[in-house]
C-alpha cells in the first residue's frame, strides 16, 4: 500500500507551523506550572513546601531527559512523526490526570510522565525542521521554532494564573491543555511519513542504510569536544533561565511585594519580547555572517561539510558574546534592591541570553553528521537538563530557604558565567576544527588569523573574488 496516497502530505511551511504550534502548547504547560507554584504552596489540600514545589520541576526534567535519547535512537527504525505522536499521547494523558490528584506524590509522578511525553517531540522536531527547511533559511526557520518555547512559557505565566482565577481550580489549566493537544496528535498520526527522514545514513548510491547502536552513538558524541562544550554551556544557560522561569513569579511576589497577576505579567511580557525578538535577531545575525559561505555553496565552490563547519564556528562566536554580556548585566541587576533597575537588567540580560537560542540549536546539529542530529539533540537535552534545569528548581528552592532571596538570586544569575566559559571553549574548538585538544587548549582566545587564512572556505572565496 502506498502510504502517500492514504495520508496528508504537509508542505515544509506547514510542518514548521504545525511543530511550532505543538511547541507553544507544551511550553504553555511549563509556564502554567510556574505561575501556580505559590498557589500550590497555599492550597489547603496540597500545602507544598518550597522543596516539594521545586521537586515538581526536577521530576518533570528527570522523565524528560532520560527518555530523549531513547526516542532519538528509535528514530532510526520508527518514523519521527509516529514517535512524536506516541509522546504527545502520553503527555495528554498525564496532564489530564492532574485534575484528579489531591496529594504530592501522584502529582509528582504525573509531572514525570509529562516530561516523558514531551521528550519525543523536543528531541526530534528540530532535526526534522532542519531537514525540510530551505538551505538559505535553515537558521531562520529554526529561530521561529525556538522562539515558540519562551513565547509559550510566557503565555503560560499569564494563562496559568488567569485560568486559576477564572475557575478557582489550580488544575484547570492542565485539563484544558490536555484537550487542546488532541487535534495536533491526530495530524501527526495522519501526516505522510517520508521514509528519507528516518535518522539513517545511506551507504553509497544503494538503497542500504547504516544504523548505530546506542553505545556507538554515545561514543561518537563523547569524542566531539564542540558538542560536549555546547551541551555543558547550554546546561548552565538552562540552570539560570529555567530557575528564573520556575521561581521568578514567586520571587517577585515575595521580594518586591508584587501581586500574582503583576509578577506573571512582568515576567511574561519580558519573556515574550526577548523570546521572540532576540531569538530571531540572533539567527538573523548568524545568517548575515554566513552570506559569503552561502554564496560559495550556491556557486558550487564549497561543500556542504565546509558550510556546516563555518556555521558552527560563527554560531559559537555569537554564543560566547551573548552569554558573557548576559552574565554581567544579570549579576548587576541581582545586586539592586529596587524593582525597576532589577527588572530592566533582567530584561536586557534575558535579551542577550536569548540571542544565542537559535545559534546554539544550529551549532548542536551542525557539529555532527546528519544522521546523528537527532541523537545529538537528544543527548544534549540530557546533559543540558542534568546540569541545568533538572537540579535548578530544587537547588534554588534550597538557596531561597537557607541564604535568602537576595543572595539566592545573585547565585542564580552568577551561575550563567559557566555558560560563557563553555561557549568560549566551544568557539575555540570550532575555529581550530581538526586540531588536537591540547593544541586548542594552548591557543585559547588567541588570534587565529593564520588558521582562518588556510581554511578551505577562505581560500575558495579568494579564488571566487579573483
Amino acid at each position: 500500500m502506498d502510504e502517500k496516497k492514504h495520508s496528508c502530505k504537509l508542505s515544509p511551511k506547514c510542518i514548521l507551523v504545525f511543530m511550532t504550534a505543538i511547541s507553544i502548547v507544551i511550553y504553555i504547560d511549563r509556564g502554567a506550572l510556574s505561575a501556580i507554584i505559590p498557589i500550590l504552596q497555599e492550597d489547603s489540600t496540597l500545602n507544598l513546601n518550597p522543596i516539594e514545589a521545586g521537586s515538581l520541576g526536577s521530576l518533570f526534567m528527570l522523565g524528560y531527559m532520560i527518555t530523549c535519547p531513547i526516542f532519538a535512537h528509535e528514530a532510526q527504525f520508527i518514523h519521527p512523526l509516529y514517535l512524536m505522536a506516541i509522546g504527545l499521547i502520553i503527555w495528554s494523558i498525564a496532564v489530564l490526570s492532574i485534575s484528579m490528584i489531591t496529594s504530592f506524590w501522584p502529582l509528582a509522578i504525573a509531572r514525570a510522565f509529562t516530561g516523558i511525553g514531551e521528550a519525543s517531540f523536543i528531541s526530534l522536531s528540530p532535526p526534522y525542521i532542519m531537514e525540510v527547511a530551505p538551505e538559505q533559511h535553515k537558521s531562520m526557520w529554526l529561530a521561529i521554532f525556538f522562539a515558540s518555547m519562551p513565547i509559550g512559557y510566557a503565555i503560560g505565566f499569564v494563562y496559568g494564573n488567569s485560568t486559576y482565577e477564572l475557575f478557582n481550580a489550580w488544575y484547570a489549566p492542565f485539563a484544558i491543555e490536555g484537550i487542546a493537544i488532541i487535534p495536533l496528535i491526530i495530524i501527526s498520526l495522519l501526516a505522510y511519513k517520508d521514509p528519507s527522514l528516518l535518522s539513517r545514513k545511506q551507504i553509497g548510491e544503494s538503497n542500504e542504510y547504516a544504523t548505530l547502536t546506542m553505545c556507538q552513538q554515545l561514543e561518537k558524541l563523547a569524542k566531539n569536544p564542540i558538542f560536549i562544550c555546547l551541551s555543558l554551556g547550554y546546561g548552565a544557560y538552562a540552570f539560570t533561565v529555567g530557575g528564573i522561569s520556575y521561581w521568578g513569579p514567586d520571587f517577585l511576589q515575595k521580594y518586591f511585594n508584587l501581586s500574582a497577576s503583576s509578577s506573571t505579567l512582568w515576567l511574561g511580557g519580558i519573556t515574550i519580547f526577548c523570546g521572540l525578538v532576540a531569538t530571531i535577531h540572533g539567527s538573523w545575525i548568524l545568517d548575515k555572517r554566513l552570506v559569503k559561505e552561502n554564496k560559495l555553496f550556491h556557486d558550487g565552490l564549497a561543500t556542504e561539510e565546509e558550510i556546516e563547519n563555518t556555521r558552527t564556528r560563527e554560531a559559537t562566536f555569537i554564543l560566547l558574546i551573548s552569554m558573557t554580556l548576559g552574565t554581567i548585566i544579570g549579576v548587576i541587576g541581582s545586586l539592586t534592591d529596587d524593582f525597576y533597575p532589577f527588572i530592566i537588567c533582567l530584561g536586557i540580560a534575558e535579551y542577550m541570553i536569548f540571542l544565542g537560542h537559535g545559534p546554539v540549536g544550529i551549532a548542536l546539529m551542525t557539529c555532527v553528521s546528519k544522521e546523528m542530529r537527532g541523537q545529538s539533540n537528544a543527548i544534549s537535552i540530557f546533559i543540558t537538563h542534568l546540569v541545568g534545569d533538572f537540579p535548578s528548581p530544587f537547588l534554588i528552592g534550597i538557596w531561597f530557604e537557607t541564604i535568602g532571596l537576595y543572595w539566592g538570586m545573585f547565585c542564580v544569575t552568577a551561575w550563567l558565567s559557566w555558560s560563557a566559559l563553555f561557549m568560549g571553549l566551544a568557539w575555540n574548538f570550532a575555529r581550530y576544527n581538526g586540531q588536537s585538544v591540547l593544541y586548542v587548549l594552548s591557543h585559547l582566545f588567541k588570534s587565529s588569523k593564520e588558521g582562518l587564512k588556510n581554511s578551505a572556505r577562505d581560500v575558495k572565496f579568494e579564488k571566487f573574488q579573483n
Side-chain angles (χ1 to χ4, degrees), residues 96-313:
L96 284 171
S97 68
I98 291 176
S99 61
M100 299 178 285
I101 288 171
T102 57
S103 59
F104 168 69
W105 280 110
L107 179 59
I109 293 170
R111 291 309 297 175
F113 273 94
T114 305
I116 292 171
E118 187 175 319
S120 67
F121 177 77
I122 295 300
S123 62
L124 298 175
S125 49
Y128 200 96
I129 292 172
M130 192 165 182
E131 281 297 311
V132 302
E135 183 65 37
Q136 68 274 23
H137 298 307
K138 288 185 184 295
S139 298
M140 189 54 64
W141 278 40
L142 280 171
I144 293 170
F145 175 76
F146 288 134
S148 68
M149 299 177 182
I151 289 173
Y153 216 130
I155 294 173
F157 284 150
V158 180
Y159 162 78
N161 187 68
S162 300
T163 307
Y164 163 74
E165 292 180 348
L166 179 63
F167 294 98
N168 195 29
W170 62 264
Y171 51 81
F174 305 105
I176 295 172
E177 296 161 7
I179 296 171
I181 202 74
I182 293 175
L184 299 173
I185 295 174
I186 294 172
I187 292 173
S188 63
L189 288 170
L190 296 180
Y192 170 62
K193 315 299 187 296
D194 186 345
S196 67
L197 294 176
L198 287 165
S199 300
R200 303 178 299 185
K201 182 177 182 179
Q202 188 171 4
I203 302 175
E205 299 297 325
S206 67
N207 290 325
E208 297 182 5
Y209 295 89
T211 58
L212 298 173
T213 66
M214 180 75 79
C215 290
Q216 289 172 327
Q217 290 180 326
L218 296 178
E219 182 181 1
K220 290 187 71 172
L221 293 174
K223 292 180 179 179
N224 188 325
I226 302 175
F227 168 80
I228 295 297
C229 289
L230 282 170
S231 299
L232 292 174
Y234 201 24
Y237 157 99
F239 186 99
T240 297
V241 173
I244 292 175
S245 298
Y246 194 86
W247 282 108
D250 187 62
F251 174 82
L252 292 180
Q253 289 174 49
K254 292 178 179 178
Y255 195 76
F256 292 110
N257 296 317
L258 266 66
S259 66
S261 58
S262 295
S263 63
T264 53
L265 282 173
W266 272 108
L267 282 177
I270 290 172
T271 306
I272 286 177
F273 177 80
C274 295
L276 177 60
V277 178
T279 300
I280 293 177
H281 187 195
S283 294
W284 177 82
I285 293 172
L286 178 58
D287 281 339
K288 292 294 287 185
R289 293 176 68 88
L290 291 170
V291 170
K292 183 164 60 174
E293 286 74 15
N294 286 330
K295 177 66 174 174
L296 283 171
F297 182 74
H298 180 266
D299 292 315
L301 296 173
T303 65
E304 186 176 0
E305 181 181 0
E306 289 169 341
I307 296 300
E308 299 293 287
N309 289 340
T310 306
R311 187 176 277 130
T312 304
R313 188 181 70 237

Side-chain angles (χ1 to χ4, degrees), residues 194-465:
D194 186 345
S196 67
L197 294 176
L198 287 165
S199 300
R200 303 178 299 185
K201 182 177 182 179
Q202 188 171 4
I203 302 175
E205 299 297 325
S206 67
N207 290 325
E208 297 182 5
Y209 295 89
T211 58
L212 298 173
T213 66
M214 180 75 79
C215 290
Q216 289 172 327
Q217 290 180 326
L218 296 178
E219 182 181 1
K220 290 187 71 172
L221 293 174
K223 292 180 179 179
N224 188 325
I226 302 175
F227 168 80
I228 295 297
C229 289
L230 282 170
S231 299
L232 292 174
Y234 201 24
Y237 157 99
F239 186 99
T240 297
V241 173
I244 292 175
S245 298
Y246 194 86
W247 282 108
D250 187 62
F251 174 82
L252 292 180
Q253 289 174 49
K254 292 178 179 178
Y255 195 76
F256 292 110
N257 296 317
L258 266 66
S259 66
S261 58
S262 295
S263 63
T264 53
L265 282 173
W266 272 108
L267 282 177
I270 290 172
T271 306
I272 286 177
F273 177 80
C274 295
L276 177 60
V277 178
T279 300
I280 293 177
H281 187 195
S283 294
W284 177 82
I285 293 172
L286 178 58
D287 281 339
K288 292 294 287 185
R289 293 176 68 88
L290 291 170
V291 170
K292 183 164 60 174
E293 286 74 15
N294 286 330
K295 177 66 174 174
L296 283 171
F297 182 74
H298 180 266
D299 292 315
L301 296 173
T303 65
E304 186 176 0
E305 181 181 0
E306 289 169 341
I307 296 300
E308 299 293 287
N309 289 340
T310 306
R311 187 176 277 130
T312 304
R313 188 181 70 237
E314 296 296 343
T316 51
F317 178 73
I318 294 171
L319 287 165
L320 169 61
I321 300 301
S322 65
M323 295 305 164
T324 301
L325 292 176
T327 302
I328 295 170
I329 297 167
V331 168
I332 291 172
S334 70
L335 294 175
T336 180
D337 286 326
D338 295 326
F339 172 71
Y340 287 107
F342 171 83
I343 209 71
I344 289 171
C345 287
L346 178 65
I348 297 173
E350 278 205 25
Y351 192 91
M352 299 309 304
I353 293 169
F354 279 118
L355 274 177
H357 202 181
V360 74
I362 286 285
L364 282 167
M365 287 185 284
T366 56
C367 71
V368 299
S369 56
K370 272 189 176 183
E371 69 277 6
M372 285 292 294
R373 284 176 179 171
Q375 195 58 273
S376 168
N377 197 42
I379 298 299
S380 172
I381 286 171
F382 179 86
I383 296 173
T384 296
H385 295 305
L386 180 66
V387 300
D389 48 6
F390 167 59
S392 70
F394 179 74
L395 289 177
I396 294 169
I398 294 176
W399 289 345
F400 284 170
E401 278 283 287
T402 54
I403 61 177
L405 295 175
Y406 179 86
W407 288 111
M409 183 55 69
F410 172 81
C411 292
V412 172
T413 54
W415 196 271
L416 195 63
S417 59
W418 288 106
S419 182
L421 172 63
F422 282 112
M423 295 309 183
L425 290 172
W427 174 60
N428 279 277
F429 281 114
R431 67 185 182 137
Y432 294 118
N433 190 36
Q435 298 288 349
S436 68
V437 173
L438 290 177
Y439 179 88
V440 173
L441 293 178
S442 65
H443 289 74
L444 288 179
F445 302 104
K446 292 182 180 179
S447 172
S448 59
K449 290 183 179 179
E450 181 179 351
L452 293 179
K453 283 182 181 178
N454 292 330
S455 71
R457 186 263 298 178
D458 284 300
V459 169
K460 289 184 178 181
F461 189 73
E462 288 174 8
K463 290 179 179 178
F464 174 75
Q465 285 183 314

Side-chain angles (χ1 to χ4, degrees), residues 7-19 81 128 132 187-188 190-193:
S7 58
C8 174
K9 185 174 183 180
L10 301 176
S11 68
K13 289 183 179 179
C14 286
I15 289 172
L16 175 62
V17 172
F18 166 64
M19 293 192 174
L81 285 178
Y128 200 96
V132 302
I187 292 173
S188 63
L190 296 180
Y192 170 62
K193 315 299 187 296

